Amino acid sequence: MSIEVVEPPVLPPQGTAIEFDVRVPPSGEITLVTGRQRVGVHQALAGRTLTVWANHRSVHFLLDGHLVTTVPSRLRPEDLAYLTMRYGARPAGPEPAPAVLPRARSGAAILAAGEPVEVDRKVHRDGIACLACGRYQVGFTLAGRTITLRLDGHLMHIADDALMGTWPCPVPADRLGQSDGARTATSPLPPPPLPAGAVRAQRKVHASGRFMINGQFIKLGPRHAGKIVAVVIEDTHYRILHGEDELAVRPRKNREPITRLCVKGMGTQ
């Protein structure tokens, strides 16, 4: 009697990525490794074949080259070796989408102080986007589109090729990494376009962190003291810029037309 010796699979090094194809079951629940990683996709994709790009940090699902979803990876090197045997996985090409946030062993996302994150959301026909168990009006003109929200714990931006809108951030800075689908912001925020008819003025921020424009005090905080900021005066609000960075958006209390921008003080125009 002969005994066949089966060599154990060679574990891929940390950071190795693989690609393979899976067929979506009727439930929409795709089990990659039992007890380790299961991912749900829309049941409308049942019967379709998805391409899976996976490494130790992210798992991306693609349909005909288009990203369907990205989830944090729970796969270990031995799981990647198992998937290579089960699905005939092949070495992966470049990552098809930004990686999810790195995570500690506890599963908590690791996010540096002040580091912004991005999440994708579908805008409903009423102009509402859902985030962190809340519903937020982002505009009827975006209905039906998938938008990218950039969150920094202070402000929430919608950015495409240009900045499309800014609101107070509904997610505290210490919970940004818990947002569903959160990933590291991969590009700087585009500079906001200057709307037709908008006017700019300069102000120097007082040691108290405030300055005045059009009879209205704007508070930025002591950390901005001494900065020369540009104030974009629009019909209903002020946008405060420092270089290419947008520091804040504040509503205008006095919406009468601006007729004078002359102020006294060093470093102001």
PDB file of all heavy atoms in Angstrom, residues 12-18 20 31-39 52-61 71-83:
ATOM      1  N   PRO A  12       1.309  32.694   1.868  1.00  0.00           N
ATOM      2  CA  PRO A  12       1.797  33.905   1.196  1.00  0.00           C
ATOM      3  C   PRO A  12       2.274  34.918   2.210  1.00  0.00           C
ATOM      4  O   PRO A  12       1.759  34.977   3.333  1.00  0.00           O
ATOM      5  CB  PRO A  12       0.553  34.407   0.449  1.00  0.00           C
ATOM      6  CG  PRO A  12      -0.606  33.835   1.195  1.00  0.00           C
ATOM      7  CD  PRO A  12      -0.139  32.525   1.756  1.00  0.00           C
ATOM      8  N   PRO A  13       3.269  35.720   1.878  1.00  0.00           N
ATOM      9  CA  PRO A  13       3.757  36.741   2.818  1.00  0.00           C
ATOM     10  C   PRO A  13       2.700  37.808   3.075  1.00  0.00           C
ATOM     11  O   PRO A  13       1.783  38.018   2.268  1.00  0.00           O
ATOM     12  CB  PRO A  13       4.976  37.323   2.104  1.00  0.00           C
ATOM     13  CG  PRO A  13       4.751  37.031   0.660  1.00  0.00           C
ATOM     14  CD  PRO A  13       4.003  35.739   0.608  1.00  0.00           C
ATOM     15  N   GLN A  14       2.839  38.476   4.229  1.00  0.00           N
ATOM     16  CA  GLN A  14       1.907  39.548   4.601  1.00  0.00           C
ATOM     17  C   GLN A  14       1.891  40.625   3.520  1.00  0.00           C
ATOM     18  O   GLN A  14       2.933  41.050   3.041  1.00  0.00           O
ATOM     19  CB  GLN A  14       2.340  40.167   5.935  1.00  0.00           C
ATOM     20  CG  GLN A  14       1.361  41.183   6.502  1.00  0.00           C
ATOM     21  CD  GLN A  14       0.198  40.529   7.230  1.00  0.00           C
ATOM     22  OE1 GLN A  14      -0.032  39.335   7.075  1.00  0.00           O
ATOM     23  NE2 GLN A  14      -0.520  41.277   8.034  1.00  0.00           N
ATOM     24  N   GLY A  15       0.716  41.035   3.120  1.00  0.00           N
ATOM     25  CA  GLY A  15       0.594  42.061   2.090  1.00  0.00           C
ATOM     26  C   GLY A  15       0.311  41.507   0.707  1.00  0.00           C
ATOM     27  O   GLY A  15      -0.049  42.258  -0.197  1.00  0.00           O
ATOM     28  N   THR A  16       0.474  40.174   0.536  1.00  0.00           N
ATOM     29  CA  THR A  16       0.185  39.555  -0.757  1.00  0.00           C
ATOM     30  C   THR A  16      -1.303  39.678  -1.066  1.00  0.00           C
ATOM     31  O   THR A  16      -2.155  39.488  -0.200  1.00  0.00           O
ATOM     32  CB  THR A  16       0.602  38.076  -0.744  1.00  0.00           C
ATOM     33  OG1 THR A  16       1.999  37.998  -0.542  1.00  0.00           O
ATOM     34  CG2 THR A  16       0.235  37.395  -2.057  1.00  0.00           C
ATOM     35  N   ALA A  17      -1.611  39.972  -2.311  1.00  0.00           N
ATOM     36  CA  ALA A  17      -3.008  40.088  -2.743  1.00  0.00           C
ATOM     37  C   ALA A  17      -3.299  39.018  -3.790  1.00  0.00           C
ATOM     38  O   ALA A  17      -2.432  38.675  -4.601  1.00  0.00           O
ATOM     39  CB  ALA A  17      -3.277  41.476  -3.309  1.00  0.00           C
ATOM     40  N   ILE A  18      -4.511  38.512  -3.773  1.00  0.00           N
ATOM     41  CA  ILE A  18      -4.940  37.491  -4.734  1.00  0.00           C
ATOM     42  C   ILE A  18      -6.244  37.936  -5.388  1.00  0.00           C
ATOM     43  O   ILE A  18      -6.972  38.797  -4.862  1.00  0.00           O
ATOM     44  CB  ILE A  18      -5.135  36.116  -4.066  1.00  0.00           C
ATOM     45  CG1 ILE A  18      -6.188  36.214  -2.941  1.00  0.00           C
ATOM     46  CG2 ILE A  18      -3.807  35.587  -3.525  1.00  0.00           C
ATOM     47  CD1 ILE A  18      -6.559  34.879  -2.327  1.00  0.00           C
ATOM     48  N   PHE A  20      -9.717  36.168  -7.543  1.00  0.00           N
ATOM     49  CA  PHE A  20     -10.419  34.955  -7.962  1.00  0.00           C
ATOM     50  C   PHE A  20     -11.874  35.334  -8.247  1.00  0.00           C
ATOM     51  O   PHE A  20     -12.320  36.453  -7.948  1.00  0.00           O
ATOM     52  CB  PHE A  20     -10.336  33.856  -6.894  1.00  0.00           C
ATOM     53  CG  PHE A  20     -10.822  34.283  -5.532  1.00  0.00           C
ATOM     54  CD1 PHE A  20     -12.131  34.070  -5.134  1.00  0.00           C
ATOM     55  CD2 PHE A  20      -9.950  34.899  -4.639  1.00  0.00           C
ATOM     56  CE1 PHE A  20     -12.568  34.463  -3.887  1.00  0.00           C
ATOM     57  CE2 PHE A  20     -10.382  35.299  -3.386  1.00  0.00           C
ATOM     58  CZ  PHE A  20     -11.689  35.078  -3.003  1.00  0.00           C
ATOM     59  N   THR A  31     -19.705  33.443   1.169  1.00  0.00           N
ATOM     60  CA  THR A  31     -18.795  32.960   2.203  1.00  0.00           C
ATOM     61  C   THR A  31     -17.441  32.703   1.572  1.00  0.00           C
ATOM     62  O   THR A  31     -17.299  31.830   0.710  1.00  0.00           O
ATOM     63  CB  THR A  31     -19.324  31.679   2.855  1.00  0.00           C
ATOM     64  OG1 THR A  31     -20.600  31.947   3.460  1.00  0.00           O
ATOM     65  CG2 THR A  31     -18.368  31.177   3.927  1.00  0.00           C
ATOM     66  N   LEU A  32     -16.452  33.470   1.988  1.00  0.00           N
ATOM     67  CA  LEU A  32     -15.094  33.265   1.483  1.00  0.00           C
ATOM     68  C   LEU A  32     -14.395  32.177   2.279  1.00  0.00           C
ATOM     69  O   LEU A  32     -13.853  31.229   1.718  1.00  0.00           O
ATOM     70  CB  LEU A  32     -14.303  34.572   1.551  1.00  0.00           C
ATOM     71  CG  LEU A  32     -14.850  35.746   0.725  1.00  0.00           C
ATOM     72  CD1 LEU A  32     -13.953  36.964   0.867  1.00  0.00           C
ATOM     73  CD2 LEU A  32     -15.000  35.356  -0.743  1.00  0.00           C
ATOM     74  N   VAL A  33     -14.370  32.334   3.604  1.00  0.00           N
ATOM     75  CA  VAL A  33     -13.800  31.340   4.502  1.00  0.00           C
ATOM     76  C   VAL A  33     -14.792  31.149   5.643  1.00  0.00           C
ATOM     77  O   VAL A  33     -15.119  32.110   6.346  1.00  0.00           O
ATOM     78  CB  VAL A  33     -12.430  31.780   5.052  1.00  0.00           C
ATOM     79  CG1 VAL A  33     -11.889  30.737   6.030  1.00  0.00           C
ATOM     80  CG2 VAL A  33     -11.438  32.006   3.925  1.00  0.00           C
ATOM     81  N   THR A  34     -15.290  29.935   5.812  1.00  0.00           N
ATOM     82  CA  THR A  34     -16.302  29.665   6.834  1.00  0.00           C
ATOM     83  C   THR A  34     -15.793  30.076   8.217  1.00  0.00           C
ATOM     84  O   THR A  34     -14.697  29.694   8.632  1.00  0.00           O
ATOM     85  CB  THR A  34     -16.668  28.166   6.835  1.00  0.00           C
ATOM     86  OG1 THR A  34     -17.135  27.793   5.533  1.00  0.00           O
ATOM     87  CG2 THR A  34     -17.752  27.881   7.853  1.00  0.00           C
ATOM     88  N   GLY A  35     -16.618  30.840   8.895  1.00  0.00           N
ATOM     89  CA  GLY A  35     -16.276  31.291  10.234  1.00  0.00           C
ATOM     90  C   GLY A  35     -15.276  32.427  10.269  1.00  0.00           C
ATOM     91  O   GLY A  35     -14.953  32.924  11.348  1.00  0.00           O
ATOM     92  N   ARG A  36     -14.801  32.855   9.112  1.00  0.00           N
ATOM     93  CA  ARG A  36     -13.787  33.905   9.084  1.00  0.00           C
ATOM     94  C   ARG A  36     -14.271  35.141   8.335  1.00  0.00           C
ATOM     95  O   ARG A  36     -14.172  36.250   8.817  1.00  0.00           O
ATOM     96  CB  ARG A  36     -12.508  33.368   8.444  1.00  0.00           C
ATOM     97  CG  ARG A  36     -11.406  34.400   8.189  1.00  0.00           C
ATOM     98  CD  ARG A  36     -10.872  35.000   9.460  1.00  0.00           C
ATOM     99  NE  ARG A  36     -10.272  33.982  10.314  1.00  0.00           N
ATOM    100  CZ  ARG A  36      -9.717  34.226  11.485  1.00  0.00           C
ATOM    101  NH1 ARG A  36      -9.695  35.460  11.956  1.00  0.00           N
ATOM    102  NH2 ARG A  36      -9.210  33.247  12.213  1.00  0.00           N
ATOM    103  N   GLN A  37     -14.787  34.957   7.105  1.00  0.00           N
ATOM    104  CA  GLN A  37     -15.185  36.112   6.295  1.00  0.00           C
ATOM    105  C   GLN A  37     -16.388  35.760   5.444  1.00  0.00           C
ATOM    106  O   GLN A  37     -16.336  34.834   4.625  1.00  0.00           O
ATOM    107  CB  GLN A  37     -14.043  36.564   5.386  1.00  0.00           C
ATOM    108  CG  GLN A  37     -14.355  37.809   4.568  1.00  0.00           C
ATOM    109  CD  GLN A  37     -13.697  39.052   5.109  1.00  0.00           C
ATOM    110  OE1 GLN A  37     -12.524  39.073   5.407  1.00  0.00           O
ATOM    111  NE2 GLN A  37     -14.455  40.134   5.213  1.00  0.00           N
ATOM    112  N   ARG A  38     -17.471  36.493   5.682  1.00  0.00           N
ATOM    113  CA  ARG A  38     -18.684  36.371   4.868  1.00  0.00           C
ATOM    114  C   ARG A  38     -19.137  37.782   4.513  1.00  0.00           C
ATOM    115  O   ARG A  38     -19.143  38.668   5.359  1.00  0.00           O
ATOM    116  CB  ARG A  38     -19.789  35.631   5.609  1.00  0.00           C
ATOM    117  CG  ARG A  38     -21.020  35.362   4.747  1.00  0.00           C
ATOM    118  CD  ARG A  38     -22.017  34.484   5.463  1.00  0.00           C
ATOM    119  NE  ARG A  38     -22.598  35.167   6.617  1.00  0.00           N
ATOM    120  CZ  ARG A  38     -23.577  34.656   7.361  1.00  0.00           C
ATOM    121  NH1 ARG A  38     -24.056  33.452   7.086  1.00  0.00           N
ATOM    122  NH2 ARG A  38     -24.065  35.331   8.376  1.00  0.00           N
ATOM    123  N   VAL A  39     -19.518  37.982   3.266  1.00  0.00           N
ATOM    124  CA  VAL A  39     -19.852  39.319   2.773  1.00  0.00           C
ATOM    125  C   VAL A  39     -21.207  39.251   2.072  1.00  0.00           C
ATOM    126  O   VAL A  39     -21.459  38.347   1.259  1.00  0.00           O
ATOM    127  CB  VAL A  39     -18.777  39.838   1.799  1.00  0.00           C
ATOM    128  CG1 VAL A  39     -19.145  41.235   1.307  1.00  0.00           C
ATOM    129  CG2 VAL A  39     -17.412  39.847   2.468  1.00  0.00           C
ATOM    130  N   VAL A  52     -13.079  38.880  -7.058  1.00  0.00           N
ATOM    131  CA  VAL A  52     -12.697  39.255  -5.693  1.00  0.00           C
ATOM    132  C   VAL A  52     -11.202  39.578  -5.671  1.00  0.00           C
ATOM    133  O   VAL A  52     -10.382  38.775  -6.124  1.00  0.00           O
ATOM    134  CB  VAL A  52     -13.006  38.124  -4.692  1.00  0.00           C
ATOM    135  CG1 VAL A  52     -12.623  38.550  -3.271  1.00  0.00           C
ATOM    136  CG2 VAL A  52     -14.472  37.744  -4.761  1.00  0.00           C
ATOM    137  N   TRP A  53     -10.881  40.770  -5.172  1.00  0.00           N
ATOM    138  CA  TRP A  53      -9.480  41.185  -4.929  1.00  0.00           C
ATOM    139  C   TRP A  53      -9.324  41.237  -3.423  1.00  0.00           C
ATOM    140  O   TRP A  53     -10.052  41.954  -2.739  1.00  0.00           O
ATOM    141  CB  TRP A  53      -9.238  42.548  -5.553  1.00  0.00           C
ATOM    142  CG  TRP A  53      -7.807  43.015  -5.593  1.00  0.00           C
ATOM    143  CD1 TRP A  53      -6.999  43.064  -6.682  1.00  0.00           C
ATOM    144  CD2 TRP A  53      -7.023  43.524  -4.491  1.00  0.00           C
ATOM    145  NE1 TRP A  53      -5.751  43.560  -6.343  1.00  0.00           N
ATOM    146  CE2 TRP A  53      -5.735  43.853  -5.011  1.00  0.00           C
ATOM    147  CE3 TRP A  53      -7.262  43.719  -3.142  1.00  0.00           C
ATOM    148  CZ2 TRP A  53      -4.716  44.365  -4.222  1.00  0.00           C
ATOM    149  CZ3 TRP A  53      -6.250  44.232  -2.341  1.00  0.00           C
ATOM    150  CH2 TRP A  53      -4.992  44.552  -2.875  1.00  0.00           C
ATOM    151  N   ALA A  54      -8.378  40.459  -2.880  1.00  0.00           N
ATOM    152  CA  ALA A  54      -8.292  40.355  -1.423  1.00  0.00           C
ATOM    153  C   ALA A  54      -6.843  40.360  -0.958  1.00  0.00           C
ATOM    154  O   ALA A  54      -5.962  39.771  -1.599  1.00  0.00           O
ATOM    155  CB  ALA A  54      -8.979  39.074  -0.947  1.00  0.00           C
ATOM    156  N   ASN A  55      -6.612  41.011   0.165  1.00  0.00           N
ATOM    157  CA  ASN A  55      -5.352  40.885   0.903  1.00  0.00           C
ATOM    158  C   ASN A  55      -5.669  40.947   2.389  1.00  0.00           C
ATOM    159  O   ASN A  55      -6.835  40.808   2.787  1.00  0.00           O
ATOM    160  CB  ASN A  55      -4.319  41.926   0.456  1.00  0.00           C
ATOM    161  CG  ASN A  55      -4.710  43.352   0.796  1.00  0.00           C
ATOM    162  OD1 ASN A  55      -5.743  43.616   1.431  1.00  0.00           O
ATOM    163  ND2 ASN A  55      -3.897  44.311   0.390  1.00  0.00           N
ATOM    164  N   HIS A  56      -4.659  41.175   3.223  1.00  0.00           N
ATOM    165  CA  HIS A  56      -4.873  41.147   4.667  1.00  0.00           C
ATOM    166  C   HIS A  56      -5.626  42.363   5.176  1.00  0.00           C
ATOM    167  O   HIS A  56      -6.060  42.379   6.328  1.00  0.00           O
ATOM    168  CB  HIS A  56      -3.516  41.066   5.386  1.00  0.00           C
ATOM    169  CG  HIS A  56      -2.732  42.336   5.308  1.00  0.00           C
ATOM    170  ND1 HIS A  56      -2.107  42.753   4.151  1.00  0.00           N
ATOM    171  CD2 HIS A  56      -2.485  43.302   6.236  1.00  0.00           C
ATOM    172  CE1 HIS A  56      -1.504  43.900   4.370  1.00  0.00           C
ATOM    173  NE2 HIS A  56      -1.709  44.265   5.614  1.00  0.00           N
ATOM    174  N   ARG A  57      -5.807  43.395   4.324  1.00  0.00           N
ATOM    175  CA  ARG A  57      -6.427  44.647   4.771  1.00  0.00           C
ATOM    176  C   ARG A  57      -7.788  44.897   4.144  1.00  0.00           C
ATOM    177  O   ARG A  57      -8.707  45.367   4.819  1.00  0.00           O
ATOM    178  CB  ARG A  57      -5.487  45.810   4.451  1.00  0.00           C
ATOM    179  CG  ARG A  57      -6.024  47.166   4.865  1.00  0.00           C
ATOM    180  CD  ARG A  57      -4.942  48.221   4.766  1.00  0.00           C
ATOM    181  NE  ARG A  57      -5.482  49.561   4.877  1.00  0.00           N
ATOM    182  CZ  ARG A  57      -4.749  50.668   4.838  1.00  0.00           C
ATOM    183  NH1 ARG A  57      -3.440  50.594   4.696  1.00  0.00           N
ATOM    184  NH2 ARG A  57      -5.301  51.873   4.943  1.00  0.00           N
ATOM    185  N   SER A  58      -7.951  44.611   2.863  1.00  0.00           N
ATOM    186  CA  SER A  58      -9.186  44.951   2.150  1.00  0.00           C
ATOM    187  C   SER A  58      -9.641  43.791   1.276  1.00  0.00           C
ATOM    188  O   SER A  58      -8.817  43.001   0.797  1.00  0.00           O
ATOM    189  CB  SER A  58      -8.992  46.188   1.259  1.00  0.00           C
ATOM    190  OG  SER A  58      -8.486  47.280   1.983  1.00  0.00           O
ATOM    191  N   VAL A  59     -10.963  43.715   1.073  1.00  0.00           N
ATOM    192  CA  VAL A  59     -11.543  42.791   0.101  1.00  0.00           C
ATOM    193  C   VAL A  59     -12.461  43.608  -0.802  1.00  0.00           C
ATOM    194  O   VAL A  59     -13.399  44.249  -0.326  1.00  0.00           O
ATOM    195  CB  VAL A  59     -12.344  41.659   0.771  1.00  0.00           C
ATOM    196  CG1 VAL A  59     -12.910  40.712  -0.291  1.00  0.00           C
ATOM    197  CG2 VAL A  59     -11.476  40.883   1.755  1.00  0.00           C
ATOM    198  N   HIS A  60     -12.158  43.630  -2.094  1.00  0.00           N
ATOM    199  CA  HIS A  60     -12.947  44.366  -3.074  1.00  0.00           C
ATOM    200  C   HIS A  60     -13.715  43.375  -3.952  1.00  0.00           C
ATOM    201  O   HIS A  60     -13.150  42.353  -4.376  1.00  0.00           O
ATOM    202  CB  HIS A  60     -12.048  45.223  -3.978  1.00  0.00           C
ATOM    203  CG  HIS A  60     -11.122  46.147  -3.239  1.00  0.00           C
ATOM    204  ND1 HIS A  60     -11.536  47.331  -2.669  1.00  0.00           N
ATOM    205  CD2 HIS A  60      -9.793  46.058  -2.978  1.00  0.00           C
ATOM    206  CE1 HIS A  60     -10.507  47.935  -2.104  1.00  0.00           C
ATOM    207  NE2 HIS A  60      -9.439  47.180  -2.273  1.00  0.00           N
ATOM    208  N   PHE A  61     -14.981  43.694  -4.231  1.00  0.00           N
ATOM    209  CA  PHE A  61     -15.793  42.884  -5.136  1.00  0.00           C
ATOM    210  C   PHE A  61     -16.102  43.717  -6.377  1.00  0.00           C
ATOM    211  O   PHE A  61     -16.571  44.859  -6.258  1.00  0.00           O
ATOM    212  CB  PHE A  61     -17.094  42.464  -4.453  1.00  0.00           C
ATOM    213  CG  PHE A  61     -16.902  41.455  -3.350  1.00  0.00           C
ATOM    214  CD1 PHE A  61     -16.516  41.865  -2.080  1.00  0.00           C
ATOM    215  CD2 PHE A  61     -17.098  40.099  -3.577  1.00  0.00           C
ATOM    216  CE1 PHE A  61     -16.330  40.949  -1.059  1.00  0.00           C
ATOM    217  CE2 PHE A  61     -16.913  39.172  -2.567  1.00  0.00           C
ATOM    218  CZ  PHE A  61     -16.523  39.595  -1.306  1.00  0.00           C
ATOM    219  N   VAL A  71     -14.883  45.874   1.677  1.00  0.00           N
ATOM    220  CA  VAL A  71     -15.067  45.595   3.101  1.00  0.00           C
ATOM    221  C   VAL A  71     -13.700  45.352   3.733  1.00  0.00           C
ATOM    222  O   VAL A  71     -12.739  44.983   3.046  1.00  0.00           O
ATOM    223  CB  VAL A  71     -15.968  44.357   3.322  1.00  0.00           C
ATOM    224  CG1 VAL A  71     -17.359  44.592   2.764  1.00  0.00           C
ATOM    225  CG2 VAL A  71     -15.340  43.108   2.708  1.00  0.00           C
ATOM    226  N   PRO A  72     -13.591  45.562   5.068  1.00  0.00           N
ATOM    227  CA  PRO A  72     -12.328  45.223   5.747  1.00  0.00           C
ATOM    228  C   PRO A  72     -12.064  43.717   5.665  1.00  0.00           C
ATOM    229  O   PRO A  72     -12.985  42.904   5.738  1.00  0.00           O
ATOM    230  CB  PRO A  72     -12.579  45.669   7.191  1.00  0.00           C
ATOM    231  CG  PRO A  72     -13.717  46.626   7.115  1.00  0.00           C
ATOM    232  CD  PRO A  72     -14.563  46.187   5.972  1.00  0.00           C
ATOM    233  N   SER A  73     -10.818  43.363   5.497  1.00  0.00           N
ATOM    234  CA  SER A  73     -10.435  41.955   5.397  1.00  0.00           C
ATOM    235  C   SER A  73     -10.208  41.360   6.779  1.00  0.00           C
ATOM    236  O   SER A  73      -9.580  41.976   7.641  1.00  0.00           O
ATOM    237  CB  SER A  73      -9.178  41.809   4.548  1.00  0.00           C
ATOM    238  OG  SER A  73      -8.734  40.463   4.542  1.00  0.00           O
ATOM    239  N   ARG A  74     -10.710  40.153   6.986  1.00  0.00           N
ATOM    240  CA  ARG A  74     -10.418  39.377   8.187  1.00  0.00           C
ATOM    241  C   ARG A  74      -9.538  38.168   7.849  1.00  0.00           C
ATOM    242  O   ARG A  74      -9.397  37.253   8.660  1.00  0.00           O
ATOM    243  CB  ARG A  74     -11.721  38.906   8.839  1.00  0.00           C
ATOM    244  CG  ARG A  74     -12.649  40.036   9.282  1.00  0.00           C
ATOM    245  CD  ARG A  74     -13.802  39.488  10.102  1.00  0.00           C
ATOM    246  NE  ARG A  74     -14.719  40.541  10.498  1.00  0.00           N
ATOM    247  CZ  ARG A  74     -15.813  40.880   9.827  1.00  0.00           C
ATOM    248  NH1 ARG A  74     -16.119  40.242   8.710  1.00  0.00           N
ATOM    249  NH2 ARG A  74     -16.599  41.855  10.254  1.00  0.00           N
ATOM    250  N   LEU A  75      -8.988  38.169   6.655  1.00  0.00           N
ATOM    251  CA  LEU A  75      -8.260  37.007   6.158  1.00  0.00           C
ATOM    252  C   LEU A  75      -6.829  36.991   6.667  1.00  0.00           C
ATOM    253  O   LEU A  75      -6.136  38.003   6.656  1.00  0.00           O
ATOM    254  CB  LEU A  75      -8.272  37.012   4.624  1.00  0.00           C
ATOM    255  CG  LEU A  75      -9.660  37.019   3.976  1.00  0.00           C
ATOM    256  CD1 LEU A  75      -9.535  37.189   2.475  1.00  0.00           C
ATOM    257  CD2 LEU A  75     -10.423  35.751   4.324  1.00  0.00           C
ATOM    258  N   ARG A  76      -6.390  35.809   7.088  1.00  0.00           N
ATOM    259  CA  ARG A  76      -5.017  35.579   7.510  1.00  0.00           C
ATOM    260  C   ARG A  76      -4.240  34.969   6.346  1.00  0.00           C
ATOM    261  O   ARG A  76      -4.835  34.530   5.346  1.00  0.00           O
ATOM    262  CB  ARG A  76      -4.999  34.653   8.717  1.00  0.00           C
ATOM    263  CG  ARG A  76      -5.786  35.178   9.910  1.00  0.00           C
ATOM    264  CD  ARG A  76      -5.969  34.118  10.974  1.00  0.00           C
ATOM    265  NE  ARG A  76      -6.720  32.970  10.455  1.00  0.00           N
ATOM    266  CZ  ARG A  76      -7.124  31.948  11.207  1.00  0.00           C
ATOM    267  NH1 ARG A  76      -6.833  31.928  12.490  1.00  0.00           N
ATOM    268  NH2 ARG A  76      -7.791  30.953  10.671  1.00  0.00           N
ATOM    269  N   PRO A  77      -2.907  34.910   6.438  1.00  0.00           N
ATOM    270  CA  PRO A  77      -2.135  34.300   5.348  1.00  0.00           C
ATOM    271  C   PRO A  77      -2.601  32.890   5.007  1.00  0.00           C
ATOM    272  O   PRO A  77      -2.672  32.512   3.832  1.00  0.00           O
ATOM    273  CB  PRO A  77      -0.701  34.322   5.889  1.00  0.00           C
ATOM    274  CG  PRO A  77      -0.672  35.510   6.799  1.00  0.00           C
ATOM    275  CD  PRO A  77      -2.022  35.540   7.444  1.00  0.00           C
ATOM    276  N   GLU A  78      -2.951  32.075   6.030  1.00  0.00           N
ATOM    277  CA  GLU A  78      -3.423  30.718   5.750  1.00  0.00           C
ATOM    278  C   GLU A  78      -4.773  30.723   5.030  1.00  0.00           C
ATOM    279  O   GLU A  78      -5.083  29.794   4.276  1.00  0.00           O
ATOM    280  CB  GLU A  78      -3.498  29.878   7.033  1.00  0.00           C
ATOM    281  CG  GLU A  78      -4.298  30.518   8.156  1.00  0.00           C
ATOM    282  CD  GLU A  78      -3.440  31.298   9.126  1.00  0.00           C
ATOM    283  OE1 GLU A  78      -2.475  31.957   8.688  1.00  0.00           O
ATOM    284  OE2 GLU A  78      -3.744  31.254  10.341  1.00  0.00           O
ATOM    285  N   ASP A  79      -5.590  31.769   5.272  1.00  0.00           N
ATOM    286  CA  ASP A  79      -6.863  31.875   4.555  1.00  0.00           C
ATOM    287  C   ASP A  79      -6.624  32.183   3.081  1.00  0.00           C
ATOM    288  O   ASP A  79      -7.327  31.658   2.203  1.00  0.00           O
ATOM    289  CB  ASP A  79      -7.739  32.967   5.180  1.00  0.00           C
ATOM    290  CG  ASP A  79      -8.111  32.657   6.621  1.00  0.00           C
ATOM    291  OD1 ASP A  79      -8.346  31.470   6.919  1.00  0.00           O
ATOM    292  OD2 ASP A  79      -8.159  33.586   7.432  1.00  0.00           O
ATOM    293  N   LEU A  80      -5.644  33.059   2.796  1.00  0.00           N
ATOM    294  CA  LEU A  80      -5.327  33.367   1.404  1.00  0.00           C
ATOM    295  C   LEU A  80      -4.805  32.120   0.693  1.00  0.00           C
ATOM    296  O   LEU A  80      -5.118  31.880  -0.484  1.00  0.00           O
ATOM    297  CB  LEU A  80      -4.295  34.494   1.336  1.00  0.00           C
ATOM    298  CG  LEU A  80      -4.735  35.855   1.894  1.00  0.00           C
ATOM    299  CD1 LEU A  80      -3.590  36.862   1.786  1.00  0.00           C
ATOM    300  CD2 LEU A  80      -5.962  36.385   1.167  1.00  0.00           C
ATOM    301  N   ALA A  81      -4.011  31.289   1.410  1.00  0.00           N
ATOM    302  CA  ALA A  81      -3.539  30.029   0.823  1.00  0.00           C
ATOM    303  C   ALA A  81      -4.710  29.089   0.557  1.00  0.00           C
ATOM    304  O   ALA A  81      -4.766  28.415  -0.485  1.00  0.00           O
ATOM    305  CB  ALA A  81      -2.517  29.375   1.752  1.00  0.00           C
ATOM    306  N   TYR A  82      -5.676  29.043   1.479  1.00  0.00           N
ATOM    307  CA  TYR A  82      -6.861  28.203   1.297  1.00  0.00           C
ATOM    308  C   TYR A  82      -7.677  28.665   0.092  1.00  0.00           C
ATOM    309  O   TYR A  82      -8.133  27.838  -0.717  1.00  0.00           O
ATOM    310  CB  TYR A  82      -7.709  28.258   2.572  1.00  0.00           C
ATOM    311  CG  TYR A  82      -9.118  27.756   2.409  1.00  0.00           C
ATOM    312  CD1 TYR A  82      -9.396  26.396   2.341  1.00  0.00           C
ATOM    313  CD2 TYR A  82     -10.186  28.656   2.320  1.00  0.00           C
ATOM    314  CE1 TYR A  82     -10.692  25.936   2.189  1.00  0.00           C
ATOM    315  CE2 TYR A  82     -11.481  28.211   2.164  1.00  0.00           C
ATOM    316  CZ  TYR A  82     -11.733  26.855   2.097  1.00  0.00           C
ATOM    317  OH  TYR A  82     -13.020  26.417   1.932  1.00  0.00           O
ATOM    318  N   LEU A  83      -7.849  29.979  -0.053  1.00  0.00           N
ATOM    319  CA  LEU A  83      -8.604  30.493  -1.194  1.00  0.00           C
ATOM    320  C   LEU A  83      -7.887  30.206  -2.509  1.00  0.00           C
ATOM    321  O   LEU A  83      -8.529  29.987  -3.542  1.00  0.00           O
ATOM    322  CB  LEU A  83      -8.827  32.004  -1.023  1.00  0.00           C
ATOM    323  CG  LEU A  83      -9.777  32.405   0.106  1.00  0.00           C
ATOM    324  CD1 LEU A  83      -9.713  33.912   0.351  1.00  0.00           C
ATOM    325  CD2 LEU A  83     -11.208  31.994  -0.238  1.00  0.00           C
TER     326      LEU A  83
END
